[in-house]
Amino acid sequence: MIKLFVGLGNPGPEYEATRHNAGFWWIDALAREWKLNLVPERSYHGLAARTSIGGQSIWLLEPQTFMNLSGKSVAALARFFKIAPEEILVVHDELDVVPGQVKLKFGGSHAGHNGLRDIHAQLGTGDYWRLRLGIGHPGVKSEVVNWVLKKPLKEQREAIEDAITRTLHAIPALVAGEMEKATLVIHTSKPPRPKPPRREPGEGGTTPAAT
């Protein structure tokens, strides 16, 4: 079962709405769902909240170490409470997934993500769960740093927020350790199809040409 939910991001108001902070947005949404308040925990270098489900303690964590030192926070809490890597879910922004889509996976490489890179190093393994929130790719590798540290367009932010809301339906399965069920819920939960524009009275019925 998942005992530690971690959202990745950068601390400070200047980063709050940037794409790199999608992991923080997810944890904030879960905290609201569970009516929890994240508070500073100096020992774990982050904002944290604790609850109990079925007699088992569950932690929410937002490292405040800046992205490239995320592992310092994750490892400190995990080691103190003897939480195994496979009981950790790290939620992070994912360039290779479009806004509105989400992927759950276990293990694998850090794929150049600096937050995951440090978690790998601090835990000594990549064998933990990741929830990859799509933020899209700028299309040019040299623009990636600028892209993740900027705010998404309004429609992109809305798509990401919708995806976050949908993935919360998988929380009961995640805390129960039913990972196949959680994966099914997350991967079969698709963004809503956009509604066609409403036709005003008197408008013609011709179909616009494809471009």
Side-chain angles (χ1 to χ4, degrees), residues 2-19:
I2 300 300
K3 298 178 182 178
L4 171 57
F5 292 90
V6 180
L8 300 188
N10 287 306
E14 67 271 37
Y15 297 108
E16 189 173 346
T18 63
R19 293 180 176 95

Side-chain angles (χ1 to χ4, degrees), residues 155-189:
E155 57 269 26
Q156 293 175 340
R157 176 65 188 253
E158 289 174 350
I160 295 167
E161 293 287 358
D162 286 345
I164 290 170
T165 299
R166 296 195 313 273
T167 59
L168 293 183
H169 296 307
I171 293 298
L174 291 170
V175 298
E178 298 171 347
M179 305 310 288
E180 288 187 13
K181 181 177 179 180
T183 301
L184 189 64
V185 170
I186 291 167
H187 289 186
T188 59
S189 176

Side-chain angles (χ1 to χ4, degrees), residues 42-196:
R42 185 177 298 179
S43 299
Y44 316 128
H45 317 286
L47 300 177
R50 186 178 188 175
T51 189
S52 180
I53 297 177
Q56 175 63 56
S57 290
I58 307 289
W59 283 90
L60 275 59
L61 177 67
E62 293 180 355
Q64 300 293 291
T65 50
F66 286 96
M67 185 65 79
N68 62 356
L69 293 176
S70 298
K72 178 180 180 181
S73 174
V74 176
L77 193 152
R79 286 173 183 156
F80 186 83
F81 291 101
K82 295 180 173 57
I83 299 172
E86 61 269 21
E87 297 171 328
I88 299 172
L89 176 70
V90 176
V91 187
H92 64 91
D93 56 306
E94 176 57 62
L95 288 161
D96 295 329
V97 178
V98 299
Q101 292 188 5
V102 191
K103 302 291 183 182
L104 180 68
K105 67 173 290 189
F106 178 76
S109 74
H110 53 69
H113 192 290
N114 287 332
L116 298 182
R117 188 196 308 272
D118 195 56
I119 293 171
H120 271 53
Q122 294 289 339
L123 293 180
T125 181
D127 292 339
Y128 53 89
W129 289 90
R130 304 95 185 268
L131 188 64
R132 305 158 67 207
L133 294 176
I135 61 167
H137 197 287
V140 182
K141 188 176 181 180
S142 61
E143 288 295 317
V144 164
V145 172
N146 193 38
W147 177 262
V148 300
L149 293 178
K150 278 191 173 181
K151 296 179 181 180
L153 299 174
K154 181 175 181 288
E155 57 269 26
Q156 293 175 340
R157 176 65 188 253
E158 289 174 350
I160 295 167
E161 293 287 358
D162 286 345
I164 290 170
T165 299
R166 296 195 313 273
T167 59
L168 293 183
H169 296 307
I171 293 298
L174 291 170
V175 298
E178 298 171 347
M179 305 310 288
E180 288 187 13
K181 181 177 179 180
T183 301
L184 189 64
V185 170
I186 291 167
H187 289 186
T188 59
S189 176
K190 301 296 183 185
R193 295 181 66 178
K195 295 179 180 178

